[in-house]
Amino acid sequence: MSVLKLENICYQYDGNKKQVLKDVNFQFEKGNIYAIVGQSGAGKTTLLSILSSLAKPTSGKIYLNGEDINKIDKYKFRSNHVGVVFQSFNLLTHLTALENVILSMNISGKKFNNKKEVAKEMLKKVGLNEEESNRRVLKLSGGQQQRVSIARALSYDPQIILADEPTGNLDGKTQDEIIDIFKMLAKEGKCIILVTHSPAVAKSVDTVYKLTRNQ
C-alpha cells in the first residue's frame, strides 16, 4: 500500500479559472525517493504545499496509508506524519542547531524521554558533531544549515519527508552529500519527496514525476 496517494488532484487560485494543477495522480511508497520536476509555473511548490496540508486542493483526494486525510486533524498530520525541508532552511538564526531541533520536537506535541539526547542523535545522523550542534545557526555554513533543517524535519519521526529545492542553494559537493542523507533515510523506510530543478538530483532518485504547465 502507498503511504501517500493523490487521486485526481486539481488546484486553482480563487478568482482564477486557470488550473495550476489538473488531475494529478501520483503514488508514493516508503523506502523510496521521488523527484517532482517541471518548468517554472507547473505547480511544483503548490503540490508540495498540498502534500503538507498547508494548501487544500480545489478537488480530488489525498490518502495517507489508505485513509482520506480530510478525516485526519490537519495539525496532527503536519506535526506528526510529515516533515518539511525548505530551500531557504527557515531556521531560527538566533538559536543553536540543537535548539532549533528541540523547538520542532516541542511543536510536534509528541512525548520524548530525553529531547536533548534525541536532538543530538538526529544532528549526528545528518553529519553534525557536538560542537557544530551547539553553534548558533548564523555561524554554520549553508550545507550545515540544510543538515539542521533535515534533522529538524526528522526529529518527531514522520513517515514522509517533503523537501522544496533542498539543494538549490548548495554547491555540487554539498548537494551530493545532502542527497546521500536522503538515500540513507529512504533505506531506513522513510518516503522522501523532493521538488527540484536539478537534473543531477532527478537522476539520483527512484522515481521522477513530471508536472506540465497548464495553458
Side-chain angles (χ1 to χ4, degrees), residues 10-85:
C10 298
Y11 185 86
Q12 63 189 69
Y13 294 108
D14 291 340
N16 192 334
K17 293 182 180 179
K18 179 182 174 184
Q19 290 185 318
V20 180
L21 299 171
K22 184 177 181 180
D23 294 328
V24 176
N25 292 278
F26 295 160
Q27 294 190 48
F28 305 95
E29 296 181 359
K30 291 181 180 180
N32 289 322
I33 305 179
Y34 299 83
I36 297 173
V37 303
Q39 66 186 113
S40 180
K44 299 185 299 299
T45 299
T46 298
L47 182 59
L48 212 63
S49 295
I50 289 172
L51 289 173
S52 61
S53 202
L54 290 171
K56 187 175 180 179
T58 308
S59 61
K61 290 188 176 183
I62 303 172
Y63 296 93
L64 175 72
N65 298 317
E67 182 179 7
D68 187 341
I69 69 164
N70 286 323
K71 298 179 180 178
I72 303 171
D73 178 79
K74 294 295 183 291
Y75 178 79
K76 184 177 181 181
F77 177 77
R78 288 194 294 267
S79 62
N80 285 252
H81 298 291
V82 176
V84 181
V85 178

Coordinates of all heavy atoms in Angstrom, one line a residue, residues 10-85:
C10 N -6.7 18.6 -8.3 CA -6.7 19.8 -9.1 C -6.6 21.0 -8.1 O -7.0 20.9 -6.9 CB -8.1 19.9 -9.8 SG -8.4 18.6 -11.0
Y11 N -6.0 22.1 -8.6 CA -5.9 23.3 -7.8 C -5.9 24.5 -8.7 O -5.3 24.6 -9.7 CB -4.6 23.3 -7.0 CG -4.5 24.4 -6.1 CD1 -5.0 24.4 -4.8 CD2 -3.8 25.6 -6.5 CE1 -4.9 25.4 -3.9 CE2 -3.7 26.7 -5.6 CZ -4.3 26.6 -4.3 OH -4.2 27.6 -3.5
Q12 N -6.7 25.5 -8.2 CA -6.7 26.8 -8.9 C -6.9 27.9 -7.8 O -7.6 27.7 -6.8 CB -7.8 26.9 -10.0 CG -9.3 26.8 -9.5 CD -10.3 26.7 -10.6 OE1 -10.3 25.6 -11.3 NE2 -11.0 27.7 -10.8
Y13 N -6.3 29.0 -8.1 CA -6.4 30.1 -7.1 C -7.8 30.8 -7.2 O -8.4 30.8 -8.3 CB -5.3 31.2 -7.4 CG -3.9 30.7 -7.2 CD1 -3.1 30.4 -8.3 CD2 -3.4 30.4 -5.9 CE1 -1.8 29.9 -8.1 CE2 -2.1 29.9 -5.7 CZ -1.3 29.7 -6.8 OH -0.1 29.2 -6.6
D14 N -8.2 31.3 -6.1 CA -9.5 32.0 -6.0 C -9.6 33.1 -7.1 O -8.7 33.9 -7.3 CB -9.7 32.6 -4.7 CG -9.9 31.6 -3.6 OD1 -10.2 30.5 -3.9 OD2 -9.7 31.9 -2.4
G15 N -10.7 33.1 -7.8 CA -10.9 34.1 -8.8 C -10.2 33.9 -10.1 O -10.2 34.7 -11.0
N16 N -9.5 32.7 -10.2 CA -8.7 32.4 -11.5 C -9.3 31.1 -12.0 O -9.2 30.1 -11.4 CB -7.2 32.3 -11.1 CG -6.4 32.3 -12.4 OD1 -6.8 31.9 -13.4 ND2 -5.1 32.7 -12.2
K17 N -9.7 31.2 -13.3 CA -10.3 30.0 -13.9 C -9.2 29.0 -14.3 O -9.5 27.8 -14.5 CB -11.1 30.4 -15.1 CG -12.4 31.1 -14.8 CD -13.2 31.5 -16.0 CE -14.5 32.2 -15.6 NZ -15.3 32.6 -16.9
K18 N -8.0 29.5 -14.5 CA -6.9 28.6 -14.9 C -6.5 27.7 -13.8 O -6.2 28.1 -12.6 CB -5.7 29.4 -15.4 CG -4.5 28.6 -15.8 CD -3.4 29.5 -16.2 CE -2.1 28.7 -16.5 NZ -1.0 29.6 -16.8
Q19 N -6.4 26.4 -14.0 CA -5.9 25.4 -13.0 C -4.4 25.3 -13.0 O -3.8 25.1 -14.0 CB -6.6 24.0 -13.3 CG -8.1 24.0 -13.1 CD -8.6 22.6 -13.3 OE1 -8.2 21.9 -14.2 NE2 -9.5 22.2 -12.4
V20 N -3.9 25.4 -11.8 CA -2.4 25.3 -11.7 C -2.1 23.8 -11.7 O -1.1 23.4 -12.4 CB -1.9 25.8 -10.3 CG1 -0.4 25.6 -10.1 CG2 -2.3 27.3 -10.2
L21 N -2.9 23.0 -11.1 CA -2.8 21.5 -11.2 C -4.1 20.9 -11.7 O -5.2 21.3 -11.3 CB -2.5 20.9 -9.8 CG -1.2 21.4 -9.1 CD1 -1.2 21.0 -7.6 CD2 0.0 20.9 -9.8
K22 N -3.9 19.9 -12.5 CA -5.1 19.3 -13.1 C -5.0 17.8 -13.1 O -4.1 17.2 -13.7 CB -5.4 19.8 -14.5 CG -6.7 19.3 -15.2 CD -6.9 19.9 -16.6 CE -8.2 19.3 -17.2 NZ -8.4 19.9 -18.5
D23 N -5.9 17.1 -12.4 CA -6.0 15.6 -12.4 C -4.6 15.0 -12.2 O -4.1 14.1 -12.9 CB -6.5 15.1 -13.7 CG -8.0 15.5 -13.9 OD1 -8.7 15.6 -12.9 OD2 -8.4 15.8 -15.1
V24 N -4.0 15.3 -11.1 CA -2.7 14.7 -10.7 C -2.9 13.5 -9.9 O -3.7 13.4 -8.9 CB -1.9 15.7 -9.8 CG1 -0.6 15.1 -9.3 CG2 -1.5 17.0 -10.6
N25 N -2.4 12.4 -10.4 CA -2.5 11.1 -9.8 C -1.1 10.5 -9.6 O -0.5 9.8 -10.4 CB -3.3 10.1 -10.7 CG -4.8 10.5 -10.8 OD1 -5.6 10.2 -9.9 ND2 -5.1 11.2 -11.9
F26 N -0.6 10.7 -8.4 CA 0.8 10.2 -8.0 C 0.6 9.3 -6.8 O -0.3 9.5 -5.9 CB 1.7 11.3 -7.6 CG 2.1 12.2 -8.8 CD1 2.6 13.5 -8.5 CD2 1.9 11.9 -10.1 CE1 2.9 14.4 -9.6 CE2 2.2 12.7 -11.2 CZ 2.7 14.0 -10.9
Q27 N 1.5 8.3 -6.7 CA 1.6 7.4 -5.5 C 3.0 7.4 -5.0 O 4.0 7.4 -5.8 CB 1.2 6.0 -5.9 CG -0.3 5.9 -6.3 CD -0.8 4.4 -6.4 OE1 -0.5 3.6 -5.5 NE2 -1.5 4.1 -7.4
F28 N 3.1 7.4 -3.7 CA 4.4 7.4 -3.0 C 4.5 6.3 -2.0 O 3.6 6.1 -1.2 CB 4.6 8.8 -2.3 CG 4.4 10.0 -3.2 CD1 3.2 10.6 -3.3 CD2 5.5 10.4 -4.0 CE1 3.0 11.7 -4.1 CE2 5.3 11.5 -4.8 CZ 4.1 12.2 -4.9
E29 N 5.6 5.6 -2.0 CA 5.8 4.4 -1.1 C 7.0 4.7 -0.2 O 7.9 5.4 -0.5 CB 6.0 3.2 -1.9 CG 4.8 2.8 -2.7 CD 5.0 1.5 -3.5 OE1 6.1 0.9 -3.3 OE2 4.1 1.0 -4.2
K30 N 6.9 4.0 1.0 CA 8.0 4.1 1.9 C 9.3 3.5 1.3 O 9.2 2.5 0.5 CB 7.7 3.4 3.2 CG 6.6 4.1 4.1 CD 6.3 3.3 5.4 CE 5.3 3.9 6.2 NZ 5.0 3.2 7.5
G31 N 10.4 4.0 1.7 CA 11.7 3.4 1.3 C 12.1 3.9 -0.1 O 13.1 3.4 -0.6
N32 N 11.4 4.9 -0.7 CA 11.8 5.4 -2.0 C 11.9 6.9 -2.0 O 11.4 7.6 -1.1 CB 10.7 5.0 -3.0 CG 10.7 3.6 -3.4 OD1 11.7 2.9 -3.5 ND2 9.5 3.0 -3.5
I33 N 12.7 7.4 -2.9 CA 12.9 8.8 -3.1 C 12.2 9.2 -4.4 O 12.4 8.6 -5.5 CB 14.4 9.2 -3.2 CG1 15.1 8.7 -1.9 CG2 14.5 10.8 -3.3 CD1 16.6 9.1 -1.9
Y34 N 11.4 10.3 -4.4 CA 10.7 10.8 -5.5 C 11.1 12.2 -5.8 O 11.3 13.0 -4.9 CB 9.2 10.7 -5.3 CG 8.7 9.4 -5.0 CD1 8.7 8.8 -3.7 CD2 8.1 8.6 -6.0 CE1 8.2 7.5 -3.5 CE2 7.6 7.3 -5.8 CZ 7.7 6.8 -4.5 OH 7.2 5.5 -4.3
A35 N 11.3 12.5 -7.1 CA 11.5 13.9 -7.5 C 10.3 14.4 -8.3 O 9.8 13.7 -9.2 CB 12.8 14.0 -8.4
I36 N 9.9 15.6 -8.0 CA 8.8 16.2 -8.7 C 9.5 17.3 -9.5 O 10.1 18.3 -9.0 CB 7.7 16.8 -7.8 CG1 7.1 15.7 -7.0 CG2 6.7 17.6 -8.6 CD1 6.1 16.2 -5.9
V37 N 9.4 17.2 -10.8 CA 10.1 18.2 -11.7 C 9.1 18.9 -12.7 O 7.9 18.4 -12.8 CB 11.2 17.5 -12.6 CG1 12.2 16.8 -11.6 CG2 10.6 16.5 -13.5
G38 N 9.5 19.9 -13.4 CA 8.7 20.6 -14.3 C 9.1 22.0 -14.4 O 9.8 22.5 -13.5
Q39 N 8.7 22.7 -15.5 CA 9.1 24.1 -15.7 C 8.5 25.0 -14.7 O 7.6 24.6 -14.0 CB 8.7 24.5 -17.1 CG 7.2 24.6 -17.3 CD 6.9 24.9 -18.8 OE1 6.3 24.0 -19.5 NE2 7.2 26.1 -19.3
S40 N 9.0 26.2 -14.6 CA 8.5 27.2 -13.7 C 7.0 27.4 -13.9 O 6.6 27.6 -15.1 CB 9.3 28.5 -13.8 OG 8.8 29.4 -12.9
G41 N 6.2 27.5 -12.9 CA 4.8 27.7 -13.1 C 4.0 26.4 -13.3 O 2.7 26.5 -13.4
A42 N 4.6 25.3 -13.2 CA 3.9 24.0 -13.4 C 3.2 23.5 -12.2 O 2.4 22.6 -12.2 CB 4.9 22.9 -13.9
G43 N 3.5 24.2 -11.0 CA 2.8 23.9 -9.8 C 3.5 23.0 -8.8 O 2.9 22.4 -7.9
K44 N 4.8 22.9 -9.0 CA 5.6 22.0 -8.1 C 5.5 22.4 -6.6 O 5.2 21.6 -5.8 CB 7.1 22.0 -8.5 CG 7.3 21.5 -10.0 CD 8.8 21.5 -10.3 CE 9.5 22.8 -10.2 NZ 9.0 23.8 -11.1
T45 N 5.7 23.7 -6.3 CA 5.7 24.1 -5.0 C 4.3 24.1 -4.4 O 4.0 23.8 -3.3 CB 6.3 25.6 -4.8 OG1 7.7 25.5 -5.2 CG2 6.2 26.1 -3.4
T46 N 3.3 24.4 -5.3 CA 1.9 24.3 -4.9 C 1.5 22.9 -4.5 O 0.9 22.6 -3.5 CB 1.0 24.7 -6.1 OG1 1.2 26.1 -6.4 CG2 -0.5 24.6 -5.7
L47 N 2.0 21.9 -5.3 CA 1.8 20.5 -5.0 C 2.4 20.1 -3.6 O 1.8 19.4 -2.8 CB 2.3 19.6 -6.1 CG 2.1 18.1 -5.9 CD1 0.6 17.8 -5.8 CD2 2.7 17.3 -7.0
L48 N 3.6 20.6 -3.4 CA 4.2 20.4 -2.1 C 3.4 20.9 -0.9 O 3.3 20.3 0.1 CB 5.7 20.9 -2.1 CG 6.7 20.2 -1.3 CD1 6.9 18.8 -1.8 CD2 8.0 20.9 -1.2
S49 N 2.9 22.1 -1.1 CA 2.0 22.7 -0.1 C 0.8 21.9 0.1 O 0.3 21.7 1.3 CB 1.6 24.1 -0.5 OG 2.7 25.0 -0.6
I50 N 0.2 21.3 -0.9 CA -0.9 20.4 -0.8 C -0.5 19.1 0.0 O -1.3 18.7 0.8 CB -1.5 20.1 -2.2 CG1 -2.2 21.4 -2.7 CG2 -2.5 18.9 -2.1 CD1 -2.7 21.2 -4.2
L51 N 0.6 18.6 -0.4 CA 1.1 17.4 0.3 C 1.3 17.6 1.8 O 1.2 16.7 2.6 CB 2.4 16.9 -0.4 CG 2.3 16.3 -1.8 CD1 3.6 16.0 -2.4 CD2 1.4 15.0 -1.8
S52 N 1.7 18.8 2.1 CA 2.0 19.1 3.5 C 0.7 19.6 4.3 O 0.8 20.0 5.4 CB 3.1 20.1 3.7 OG 2.8 21.3 3.0
S53 N -0.4 19.7 3.5 CA -1.7 20.1 4.0 C -1.7 21.6 4.4 O -2.5 22.1 5.2 CB -2.1 19.3 5.3 OG -3.5 19.3 5.5
L54 N -0.8 22.4 3.8 CA -0.8 23.8 4.0 C -1.7 24.5 3.0 O -2.1 25.6 3.2 CB 0.7 24.4 3.8 CG 1.7 24.0 4.9 CD1 3.1 24.4 4.6 CD2 1.2 24.6 6.3
A55 N -2.0 23.8 1.9 CA -3.0 24.2 1.0 C -4.0 23.1 0.7 O -3.6 21.9 0.8 CB -2.3 24.7 -0.3
K56 N -5.2 23.4 0.4 CA -6.2 22.4 0.1 C -6.5 22.4 -1.3 O -6.7 23.4 -2.0 CB -7.5 22.8 0.9 CG -8.6 21.7 0.9 CD -9.8 22.0 1.7 CE -10.8 20.9 1.7 NZ -12.0 21.2 2.5
P57 N -6.5 21.2 -1.9 CA -6.8 21.1 -3.4 C -8.2 21.6 -3.7 O -9.1 21.4 -2.8 CB -6.7 19.6 -3.7 CG -6.8 18.9 -2.4 CD -6.3 19.9 -1.3
T58 N -8.4 22.1 -4.9 CA -9.8 22.5 -5.3 C -10.7 21.3 -5.4 O -11.9 21.3 -5.1 CB -9.7 23.2 -6.7 OG1 -8.7 24.3 -6.6 CG2 -11.0 23.8 -7.0
S59 N -10.1 20.2 -5.9 CA -10.9 18.9 -5.9 C -9.9 17.8 -5.9 O -8.7 18.0 -6.1 CB -11.7 18.9 -7.2 OG -10.9 18.9 -8.4
G60 N -10.4 16.6 -5.7 CA -9.5 15.4 -5.6 C -9.3 15.0 -4.2 O -9.7 15.7 -3.2
K61 N -8.7 13.9 -4.0 CA -8.4 13.3 -2.6 C -7.0 12.9 -2.4 O -6.3 12.5 -3.4 CB -9.4 12.2 -2.4 CG -10.8 12.5 -2.2 CD -11.7 11.4 -1.8 CE -13.1 11.8 -1.6 NZ -13.9 10.7 -1.0
I62 N -6.6 13.0 -1.1 CA -5.3 12.5 -0.7 C -5.4 11.5 0.3 O -6.2 11.7 1.3 CB -4.4 13.7 -0.2 CG1 -4.3 14.8 -1.2 CG2 -3.0 13.2 0.2 CD1 -3.6 16.0 -0.7
Y63 N -4.7 10.4 0.2 CA -4.8 9.3 1.2 C -3.5 9.1 1.9 O -2.5 9.0 1.2 CB -5.3 8.0 0.5 CG -6.7 8.1 -0.1 CD1 -6.8 8.4 -1.5 CD2 -7.8 7.8 0.6 CE1 -8.1 8.5 -2.1 CE2 -9.1 7.9 0.0 CZ -9.2 8.2 -1.3 OH -10.4 8.3 -1.9
L64 N -3.5 9.0 3.2 CA -2.4 8.6 4.0 C -2.6 7.2 4.5 O -3.5 7.0 5.3 CB -2.2 9.6 5.2 CG -1.1 9.2 6.1 CD1 0.3 9.5 5.5 CD2 -1.2 10.1 7.4
N65 N -1.8 6.3 4.0 CA -1.9 4.9 4.4 C -3.4 4.4 4.2 O -4.0 3.7 5.0 CB -1.5 4.6 5.9 CG -0.1 5.0 6.1 OD1 0.8 4.6 5.3 ND2 0.2 5.7 7.2
G66 N -4.0 4.8 3.1 CA -5.3 4.4 2.7 C -6.4 5.2 3.4 O -7.6 5.0 3.0
E67 N -6.1 6.1 4.2 CA -7.2 6.9 4.9 C -7.2 8.3 4.3 O -6.2 9.0 4.2 CB -6.9 7.0 6.4 CG -8.0 7.8 7.2 CD -7.7 7.9 8.7 OE1 -6.6 7.4 9.1 OE2 -8.6 8.4 9.4
D68 N -8.4 8.8 4.0 CA -8.6 10.2 3.5 C -8.1 11.2 4.5 O -8.5 11.2 5.7 CB -10.1 10.4 3.2 CG -10.4 11.7 2.5 OD1 -9.5 12.6 2.5 OD2 -11.5 11.8 2.0
I69 N -7.1 12.0 4.1 CA -6.5 12.9 5.1 C -7.5 14.0 5.6 O -7.3 14.7 6.6 CB -5.2 13.6 4.6 CG1 -5.5 14.6 3.5 CG2 -4.2 12.6 4.2 CD1 -4.4 15.6 3.2
N70 N -8.7 14.1 4.9 CA -9.7 15.0 5.4 C -10.3 14.5 6.7 O -10.9 15.3 7.4 CB -10.8 15.2 4.3 CG -10.4 16.1 3.2 OD1 -9.7 17.1 3.4 ND2 -10.8 15.7 2.0
K71 N -10.1 13.3 7.0 CA -10.6 12.7 8.3 C -9.5 12.8 9.4 O -9.8 12.3 10.5 CB -11.0 11.2 8.0 CG -12.1 11.1 7.0 CD -12.5 9.6 6.8 CE -13.6 9.5 5.8 NZ -13.9 8.0 5.6
I72 N -8.3 13.3 9.0 CA -7.2 13.4 10.0 C -7.1 14.9 10.4 O -7.1 15.8 9.5 CB -5.9 12.9 9.4 CG1 -6.1 11.5 8.9 CG2 -4.8 13.0 10.4 CD1 -4.9 10.9 8.1
D73 N -6.9 15.2 11.6 CA -6.7 16.5 12.1 C -5.5 17.1 11.3 O -4.4 16.5 11.3 CB -6.4 16.6 13.6 CG -6.1 17.9 14.1 OD1 -7.0 18.7 14.3 OD2 -4.9 18.2 14.3
K74 N -5.6 18.3 10.7 CA -4.6 18.9 9.9 C -3.3 19.2 10.7 O -2.2 19.0 10.2 CB -5.1 20.2 9.2 CG -6.2 20.0 8.2 CD -5.7 19.2 7.0 CE -6.8 19.0 6.0 NZ -7.9 18.1 6.4
Y75 N -3.5 19.7 11.9 CA -2.3 20.0 12.7 C -1.5 18.7 13.0 O -0.3 18.6 12.9 CB -2.7 20.7 14.0 CG -1.5 21.0 14.9 CD1 -0.7 22.0 14.7 CD2 -1.2 20.1 16.0 CE1 0.4 22.3 15.5 CE2 -0.1 20.3 16.8 CZ 0.7 21.4 16.5 OH 1.8 21.7 17.3
K76 N -2.3 17.6 13.4 CA -1.6 16.4 13.7 C -0.9 15.8 12.4 O 0.2 15.3 12.5 CB -2.7 15.4 14.2 CG -2.1 14.0 14.6 CD -3.1 13.1 15.2 CE -2.5 11.8 15.6 NZ -3.5 10.8 16.1
F77 N -1.6 15.9 11.3 CA -1.0 15.5 10.0 C 0.4 16.2 9.8 O 1.4 15.5 9.5 CB -1.9 15.7 8.9 CG -1.3 15.3 7.5 CD1 -1.3 14.0 7.1 CD2 -0.8 16.3 6.6 CE1 -0.8 13.6 5.9 CE2 -0.3 15.9 5.4 CZ -0.3 14.6 5.0
R78 N 0.4 17.5 9.9 CA 1.6 18.3 9.7 C 2.7 18.0 10.7 O 3.9 18.0 10.4 CB 1.3 19.8 9.6 CG 0.5 20.2 8.3 CD 0.6 21.6 8.1 NE -0.2 22.3 9.1 CZ -1.5 22.7 9.0 NH1 -2.1 22.4 7.9 NH2 -2.1 23.3 10.0
S79 N 2.3 17.9 12.0 CA 3.3 17.8 13.0 C 3.7 16.4 13.4 O 4.6 16.2 14.2 CB 2.7 18.6 14.3 OG 1.5 17.9 14.8
N80 N 3.0 15.4 12.8 CA 3.4 14.0 13.2 C 3.8 13.2 12.0 O 4.7 12.4 12.1 CB 2.2 13.3 13.9 CG 2.1 13.8 15.3 OD1 2.3 13.0 16.2 ND2 1.6 15.0 15.5
H81 N 3.1 13.4 10.9 CA 3.3 12.5 9.7 C 4.2 13.0 8.6 O 4.8 12.2 7.9 CB 1.9 12.1 9.1 CG 1.0 11.4 10.0 ND1 1.2 10.1 10.4 CD2 -0.1 11.8 10.6 CE1 0.2 9.7 11.2 NE2 -0.6 10.8 11.4
V82 N 4.4 14.3 8.6 CA 5.1 15.0 7.5 C 6.2 15.9 8.1 O 5.9 16.7 8.9 CB 4.2 15.8 6.6 CG1 5.0 16.5 5.5 CG2 3.2 14.8 5.9
G83 N 7.4 15.8 7.6 CA 8.5 16.7 7.9 C 8.9 17.5 6.6 O 9.0 16.9 5.6
V84 N 9.1 18.8 6.8 CA 9.3 19.6 5.6 C 10.7 20.3 5.7 O 11.1 20.8 6.7 CB 8.3 20.8 5.5 CG1 8.5 21.6 4.3 CG2 6.8 20.2 5.4
V85 N 11.4 20.2 4.6 CA 12.8 20.8 4.5 C 12.7 21.9 3.4 O 12.2 21.6 2.3 CB 13.8 19.7 4.0 CG1 15.2 20.4 3.9 CG2 13.9 18.6 5.0

